[in-house]
């Protein structure tokens, strides 16, 4: 299994992968809407001899009132059903976090399963005073919105509600 940067030739396979992994097109449409419209942009695929078995995307998010905050969101992470529970997702998360750090991210937020992401160092974002609109509306429990600090001390003095790219609301 090769973890590599997504190429333009991968776009259709990434779309179909997200449809299959999430049993619907919502996440696939989100990826399509974000592709090429954010910077920095980290998009990796797990390539199993030409089969795109997994995909992960990191895009910038904004923390109002904190111009020095360099945050990215991990969304989505998708693995083909036949490859799930085989380490593909973990390999994508680890490689993606490394690339997000290289791209200048000081921290990464994720809305995800609280039993999965802590193994990579994610903790509830509320511990750092970080929230999102999904929490504020009551749609998401506190423990499902998590953050990992990539640069030591980056989260010091930051607090507020993270704002996502408009594509997250449009899909």
């Amino acid at each position: 299994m090769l973890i590599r940067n997504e190429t333009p030739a991968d776009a259709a396979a990434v779309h179909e992968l997200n449809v299959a992994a999430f049993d619907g097109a919502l996440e696939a449409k989100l990826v399509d809407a974000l592709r090429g419209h954010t910077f920095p942009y980290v998009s990796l695929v797990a390539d199993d001899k030409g089969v795109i078995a997994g995909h992960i995307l990191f895009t910038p998010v904004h923390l109002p009132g904190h111009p020095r905050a360099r945050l990215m969101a991990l969304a989505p992470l998708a693995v083909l059903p036949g490859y799930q529970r085989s380490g593909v997702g973990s390999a994508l998360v680890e490689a993606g976090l490394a690339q997000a750090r290289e791209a200048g991210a000081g921290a990464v937020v994720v809305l995800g399963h609280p039993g999965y992401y802590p193994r990579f160092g994610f903790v509830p974002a509320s511990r750092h005073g970080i929230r999102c609109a999904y929490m504020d509306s009551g749609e998401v429990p506190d423990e499902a919105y998590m953050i990992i600090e990539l640069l030591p001390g980056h989260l010091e003095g930051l607090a507020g509600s993270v704002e996502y790219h408009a594509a997250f609301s449009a899909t």
Side-chain angles (χ1 to χ4, degrees):
M1 185 79 54
L2 172 67
I3 305 297
R4 62 173 176 77
N5 289 317
E6 178 191 6
T7 68
D10 297 323
V14 167
H15 182 93
E16 292 306 314
L17 160 69
N18 276 282
V19 170
F22 291 103
D23 199 27
L26 185 67
E27 287 80 2
K29 289 178 181 178
L30 174 64
V31 172
D32 292 342
L34 291 169
R35 188 179 286 116
H37 291 94
T38 65
F39 183 82
Y41 180 87
V42 175
S43 182
L44 303 176
V45 296
D47 185 334
D48 184 19
K49 300 176 186 153
V51 173
I52 302 302
H55 173 254
I56 195 167
L57 181 63
F58 294 80
T59 55
V61 292
H62 179 67
L63 190 60
H66 298 283
R68 74 164 184 84
R70 294 184 319 274
L71 307 177
M72 294 186 87
L74 185 171
L77 166 61
V79 178
L80 281 176
Y83 287 84
Q84 291 175 2
R85 299 191 178 352
S86 69
V88 171
S90 292
L92 284 165
V93 171
E94 289 170 358
L97 289 173
Q99 280 208 14
R101 183 182 297 108
E102 290 172 16
V108 170
V109 293
V110 66
L111 172 57
H113 195 283
Y116 182 74
Y117 289 98
R119 72 182 74 178
F120 305 104
F122 283 91
V123 298
S126 61
R127 289 188 191 171
H128 294 281
I130 307 290
R131 302 185 56 75
C132 70
Y134 309 112
M135 292 170 67
D136 297 339
S137 70
E139 295 174 62
V140 171
D142 182 73
E143 65 273 8
Y145 193 65
M146 295 166 272
I147 195 163
I148 184 171
E149 190 173 49
L150 301 178
L151 300 174
H154 189 74
L155 294 175
E156 194 171 311
L158 299 182
S161 188
V162 170
E163 292 180 354
Y164 284 74
H165 188 280
F168 281 86
S169 300
T171 55

